[in-house]
Amino acid sequence: MQKDKSIAASIFAPKTPAPANPIPSSSPAFGTPAHTLKPFAIAPPTKATILPILLPPATLRPLAFRTFTKKHSLTLTSSALQELATFIGRHCGSGWREEGLAEKVLEEVAKSWKNRNGGVIVDGTSNEFKDILKTLEGNMSGGRIVTGRELNRQNSLVLDPSQEADLSNTRLGLRPTKALTRDDSATSFGMSGLGVEEEEPDDEGLKHPRKWLKVVSAYEQPRMLYNVTKKHFEKDPSKPSLMPPASHKTTLFRNRYNVIHQRLLRNESFQSSTVATTKAAPSLKRSTSSNITSQQTYKITPIANLLGRHGSHHMLLGLLSVLPTGGLAISDLTGTISLDLSHAVAIPEDSAWFTPGMIVLVDGVYEEEEESTGKGLGGSNGVGGIIGGRFQGFFLGQPPCEKRKVTLGVSGLDDHTIGGGFGWIDFLGVGSERAMGSKMRKLEQRILRRARQTQSSQDPDPDLDPPSCTRVVILGELNLDQPRALQALRKILTIYSTEPEGSTPMTFVLMGNFTQYAVMAGGGASGGSVEYKEYFDALASVLSDFPTLLQSSTFVFVPGDNDGWASSFGGGAAVPLPRKGVPDLFTSRVRRAFASANAELGGERKCPGEAIWTTNPARLSVFGPNHEIVLFRDDMSARLRRTAVRLKSSRPDSGENQENEPPAANKGNGDNEELDDDIDMANALDSTDAMDVDSAPTLKQSKTNPEVPHDVRSARKLVKTVLDQGYLCPFRHAIRPVHWDHAVALHLYPLPTAMVLADPTAPPFCVTYEGCHVMNPGAVLVAGRRGVGRWVEYELGGTGRIRECLF
């Protein structure tokens, strides 16, 4: 028996024990060790098998309602709910409820939809929704969303789950899979478009405020149209054209009307109370009492509803237009009616302009055809949408403006977002307020604090505050064909070039007209394009003398009506808006000057200076949606005086300042005792601001307070007109043409934080109205004062001031 055991032992020889630390030989013959190396003691991630189920949409509806509607203020359509139910049933299986898989998927979809600015209504048939599900499908593993950090990078480096398992089990693997997978809502791929981290920027160039400056031209701005059904803004899917069909002109007016109409309905004075006790018809003219109760509200009547209501009192919102017979009419989306303003008074008195092409509020009485005067061709016979009869207007006013914070739903000391508004809409293509506002504000505070510390350390005199590096220098009407204008420019640049290092202004805005006459159309010396280019060559020679400014500032050039190429066929007249910038053919020498100045630094500066030739109008975005500055060049004040409607004045003696007042303007200046009976709409809306469109003073105030200067009144009148209209071109298209498909770039909704209205026909001013700071630098050369240059210096987030120098 023992012999048999020994034979068996010899046949089945025991295995040799493995060495404790096997070291493979470097010889080719012994390159493979007898025993392979042990991998990391990591359990291979087993991919859970998901058994798809058919999930009814009605079963998912309560959870989707809680996530989308209650948490994110979104509304799901039936198609979107069906798509989500199919997606969750396929990828989450039976554990969608118990393991909480569906809730995480719905959370990611809602965040992604918001950051794509999809709107309040989540449509399952839209391409954005399908792209979100497609992106999410590639990152589902076992019913869960994996690698949230890689999802933030637009899925460019996302690995397949099988590839992650292989990578984690190799000798050169980074770390276990459990450490790689992270479920963090803060790093959700829905916020991937921000590009802003909580930490300090790593790049040295990103620490300069000018790195966060973006010039948005009128042709790059998103074309947002207001959808009345969804009560939200959405992108225009059609492709813009310079020669669109005639229906786009109707769309232009319809969009303007809808934006102002929804703005009024959001106003407290146009929201009726359910416990209202007053039965009197509301009017723009109030009683002498200064107590505005909540029951005193306005109600807008559609024009089509006036039929059969002879002698009734109504308030209309519509577009002022001119009939073929020369009379005035008012139009809305329902019809047109003849308008009589012979007895109308502006509310508040002499506070705004009223011209055909503006959308205004008219308060008055409707008179039917047999009671109205002017029959035949002068009357309206109900043809072509014109309602028979006449509307006798007694009070005329601008639609009240809405502050930017109210539009975007921002409130609080730290500008925290609240419900309501259009905070998720990206109006400029730089990010929405809800997605980027708070992060960009924190980033701005850190960068500006660092910049101030750097300036204070370099300043030899610590007692004096160094100039800020976030200033914007604005020069208007820089006529390069006038040698004195170049001398004034040289003097202004000399002032800023002598400032301490690091205190250079962030931006220089140079606005046209760059020639006094339309040289391209044969004006001036009739040198044509050759002469026009020589003027910019002279500008390049002046700029070349200040290389430090060219290296550390951004120069933005905004053209006027006399600049090419539009002036070659316009002859200096009003050309269609928006208009493109000056062609590169004429500005090559200026761009060469910037390239030479930046070449002197080499690679030392990571944020070199640049010259940007933009459109008219254009917008400056600094730190995303935090600061929006509108740049616009137009002789608007002169055009308003030429086309304004003459209204009745309540002043008993209006000849005092008749030589200074335009013939079509209102002659009242606010010092009449009868104005004590009126309360303007600005007071009724509780909209007090720094511009302070002066409310009607009482008799005691008119005796003690001095009269407001004429220049200040004209500036306030111009600013209130433009901002209340919310449109940069409130004129008839025959007076000021507009490209129909690009008219969205002319909208001022939401209100910008600042606006540059370069108008040499108006006095220079810096005023604030409803939180929007409006500046007019006027012309560089001061009229009537030889050797004096004038410009505006604006502090980002603050106010501007008018500066002058001698040259």
Side-chain angles (χ1 to χ4, degrees):
M1 198 67 188
Q2 294 179 354
K3 186 177 180 181
D4 294 338
K5 290 183 179 179
S6 63
I7 294 175
S10 61
I11 296 176
F12 301 99
K15 297 182 180 180
T16 58
N21 295 319
I23 301 177
S25 173
S26 60
S27 173
F30 301 94
T32 304
H35 302 278
T36 58
L37 300 177
K38 293 183 179 181
F40 287 129
I42 302 175
T46 58
K47 184 175 181 180
T49 303
I50 297 298
L51 182 62
I53 63 173
L54 293 177
L55 181 61
T59 307
L60 184 64
R61 182 178 289 112
L63 182 60
F65 176 80
R66 185 167 61 249
T67 303
F68 279 81
T69 305
K70 292 292 186 180
K71 188 174 182 179
H72 294 280
S73 301
L74 298 176
T75 303
L76 275 176
T77 61
S78 58
S79 60
L81 184 61
Q82 178 65 43
E83 293 290 337
L84 287 174
T86 305
F87 182 87
I88 293 175
R90 182 187 303 121
H91 295 282
C92 298
S94 58
W96 67 274
R97 188 196 299 270
E98 291 78 6
E99 301 179 15
L101 303 180
E103 185 176 359
K104 298 176 182 179
V105 172
L106 295 175
E107 182 75 17
E108 292 291 346
V109 173
K111 290 181 179 180
S112 302
W113 179 265
K114 279 188 171 183
N115 287 278
R116 289 172 180 250
N117 298 319
V120 176
I121 307 298
V122 181
D123 189 5
T125 59
S126 63
N127 296 329
E128 291 82 0
F129 188 80
K130 294 179 180 179
D131 292 341
I132 292 173
L133 295 184
K134 185 177 180 181
T135 304
L136 192 61
E137 183 177 7
N139 297 277
M140 296 290 296
S141 177
R144 302 180 184 276
I145 303 173
V146 298
T147 60
R149 186 178 297 274
E150 281 78 10
L151 288 174
N152 279 342
R153 304 300 180 187
Q154 300 293 335
N155 303 313
S156 60
L157 298 177
V158 174
L159 299 176
D160 188 77
S162 61
Q163 296 176 351
E164 289 184 5
D166 297 338
L167 182 62
S168 302
N169 287 305
T170 57
R171 169 68 71 175
L172 300 178
L174 295 177
R175 47 184 169 175
T177 308
K178 293 183 179 180
L180 288 175
T181 59
R182 178 184 176 187
D183 186 12
D184 189 0
S185 60
T187 59
S188 169
F189 75 98
M191 306 295 286
S192 59
L194 297 180
V196 180
E197 300 294 337
E198 292 293 337
E199 293 80 10
E200 292 283 349
D202 296 333
D203 190 0
E204 185 69 24
L206 297 180
K207 298 179 181 179
H208 196 280
R210 196 163 54 84
K211 195 67 177 179
W212 302 94
L213 168 69
K214 181 180 180 181
V215 180
V216 183
S217 68
Y219 295 95
E220 297 174 353
Q221 186 174 341
R223 300 165 57 230
M224 309 298 295
L225 300 179
Y226 184 75
N227 191 319
V228 181
T229 304
K230 299 180 179 179
K231 300 186 184 305
H232 210 66
F233 285 89
E234 57 185 14
K235 290 185 178 180
D236 188 358
S238 62
K239 185 178 181 181
S241 173
L242 295 180
M243 293 191 302
S247 61
H248 289 203
K249 183 178 181 180
T250 307
T251 305
L252 186 156
F253 160 69
R254 189 182 298 271
N255 187 49
R256 276 188 63 194
Y257 183 88
N258 289 334
V259 170
I260 294 182
H261 186 260
Q262 65 86 22
R263 192 180 75 190
L264 288 180
L265 296 183
R266 286 157 49 91
N267 197 292
E268 294 180 359
S269 295
F270 289 85
Q271 296 176 358
S272 60
S273 175
T274 56
V275 294
T277 57
T278 178
K279 296 182 179 180
S283 172
L284 291 179
K285 187 178 180 68
R286 295 299 190 186
S287 62
T288 56
S289 175
S290 59
N291 297 324
I292 304 299
T293 61
S294 59
Q295 288 80 11
Q296 295 175 339
T297 58
Y298 304 103
K299 183 178 179 181
I300 299 175
T301 303
I303 293 180
N305 292 3
L306 297 178
L307 290 175
R309 304 173 70 177
H310 169 67
S312 56
H313 184 279
H314 301 280
M315 180 182 295
L316 305 182
L317 174 69
L319 180 76
L320 273 182
S321 57
V322 180
L323 293 173
T325 56
L328 287 176
I330 185 170
S331 307
D332 64 3
L333 301 183
T334 63
T336 304
I337 188 172
S338 178
L339 184 64
D340 184 5
L341 296 179
S342 58
H343 302 285
V345 177
I347 300 295
E349 181 101 14
D350 195 26
S351 64
W353 297 97
F354 298 94
T355 64
M358 292 184 179
I359 296 179
V360 297
L361 285 168
V362 183
D363 187 83
V365 176
Y366 171 64
E367 298 179 357
E368 290 184 349
E369 185 72 31
E370 59 271 10
E371 300 294 336
S372 61
T373 58
K375 294 186 178 182
L377 291 177
S380 51
N381 301 319
V383 179
I386 300 180
I387 295 177
R390 179 186 64 179
F391 191 79
Q392 180 69 50
F394 297 125
F395 303 102
L396 188 66
Q398 293 282 352
C401 196
E402 186 178 72
K403 292 186 177 182
R404 178 180 178 89
K405 291 185 177 181
V406 177
T407 304
L408 299 179
V410 179
S411 179
L413 298 176
D414 296 332
D415 292 340
H416 296 297
T417 56
I418 60 176
F422 304 102
W424 288 111
I425 303 299
D426 185 5
F427 290 96
L428 290 184
V430 296
S432 61
E433 171 64 32
R434 291 289 186 93
M436 298 185 61
S438 59
K439 291 180 178 290
M440 295 304 293
R441 277 188 286 271
K442 295 178 182 178
L443 179 65
E444 177 184 0
Q445 294 175 0
R446 290 197 299 265
I447 292 179
L448 296 184
R449 183 171 59 251
R450 179 186 295 269
R452 286 192 295 266
Q453 293 174 356
T454 304
Q455 291 177 2
S456 60
S457 61
Q458 297 177 355
D459 190 11
D461 190 359
D463 296 335
L464 298 178
D465 294 335
S468 174
C469 62
T470 58
R471 292 171 296 167
V472 179
V473 180
I474 306 162
L475 287 76
E477 195 68 14
L478 182 62
N479 299 140
L480 302 178
D481 53 350
Q482 293 185 350
R484 293 192 300 115
L486 293 176
Q487 296 176 9
L489 175 63
R490 184 184 297 274
K491 178 62 177 178
I492 295 173
L493 296 180
T494 303
I495 294 175
Y496 291 103
S497 62
T498 57
E499 293 181 347
E501 184 180 358
S503 301
T504 307
M506 178 176 60
T507 308
F508 286 86
V509 179
L510 278 64
M511 311 188 73
N513 297 308
F514 293 114
T515 55
Q516 193 175 4
Y517 305 99
V519 179
M520 304 290 292
S526 300
S529 59
V530 177
E531 179 185 358
Y532 189 67
K533 188 178 187 306
E534 289 177 352
Y535 292 143
F536 284 101
D537 294 344
L539 174 63
S541 63
V542 174
L543 296 178
S544 301
D545 296 338
F546 305 93
T548 56
L549 297 180
L550 303 188
Q551 296 166 359
S552 56
S553 297
T554 300
F555 283 72
V556 181
F557 298 86
V558 181
D561 291 336
N562 290 342
D563 296 311
W565 291 103
S567 63
S568 59
F569 61 87
V575 297
L577 292 176
R579 58 146 301 164
K580 294 186 177 182
V582 179
D584 296 340
L585 173 66
F586 306 105
T587 61
S588 58
R589 192 72 62 88
V590 177
R591 287 183 280 110
R592 192 184 310 167
F594 278 84
S596 301
N598 293 326
E600 296 179 1
L601 291 177
E604 298 178 1
R605 190 183 298 272
K606 296 185 179 181
C607 189
E610 58 180 340
I612 300 177
W613 304 84
T614 185
T615 59
N616 182 31
R619 299 174 191 251
L620 298 182
S621 173
V622 189
F623 293 105
N626 289 357
H627 302 281
E628 177 186 349
I629 306 174
V630 176
L631 308 177
F632 186 48
R633 168 65 179 89
D634 188 31
D635 296 336
M636 184 175 294
S637 182
R639 189 176 294 107
L640 287 172
R641 291 195 294 265
R642 292 194 302 265
T643 60
V645 176
R646 184 185 297 272
L647 297 177
K648 178 184 176 182
S649 175
S650 60
R651 291 185 56 190
D653 184 13
S654 60
E656 180 179 354
N657 296 325
Q658 189 171 3
E659 65 277 6
N660 296 328
E661 293 282 340
N666 309 325
K667 302 282 193 305
N669 62 353
D671 58 354
N672 183 22
E673 300 178 10
E674 295 180 11
L675 289 181
D676 187 31
D677 297 337
D678 296 341
I679 296 178
D680 58 45
M681 297 186 64
N683 286 343
L685 306 181
D686 295 330
S687 57
T688 57
D689 212 323
M691 159 176 177
D692 316 2
V693 178
D694 293 338
S695 58
T698 60
L699 179 61
K700 182 184 297 185
Q701 291 175 337
S702 63
K703 291 182 179 180
T704 57
N705 294 345
E707 184 180 359
V708 180
H710 173 72
D711 289 350
V712 177
R713 286 193 294 109
S714 61
R716 292 174 175 175
K717 191 174 181 179
L718 174 63
V719 169
K720 177 174 169 53
T721 301
V722 177
L723 297 188
D724 282 350
Q725 286 294 311
Y727 196 63
L728 291 175
C729 187
F731 304 99
R732 292 186 298 157
H733 287 186
I735 303 297
R736 185 60 159 166
V738 173
H739 289 302
W740 301 340
D741 281 359
H742 297 281
V744 178
L746 304 178
H747 281 261
L748 296 176
Y749 189 81
L751 281 184
T753 55
M755 175 179 171
V756 179
L757 179 58
D759 186 0
T761 62
F765 58 82
C766 295
V767 297
T768 303
Y769 177 56
E770 294 292 350
C772 177
H773 190 67
V774 185
M775 299 161 285
N776 177 26
V780 173
L781 298 178
V782 181
R785 300 170 61 185
R786 185 175 181 85
V788 178
R790 177 188 293 154
W791 74 99
V792 168
E793 185 179 278
Y794 171 68
E795 179 67 32
L796 187 66
T799 57
R801 61 190 183 108
I802 301 174
R803 298 190 58 181
E804 295 182 353
C805 68
L806 299 176
F807 61 90

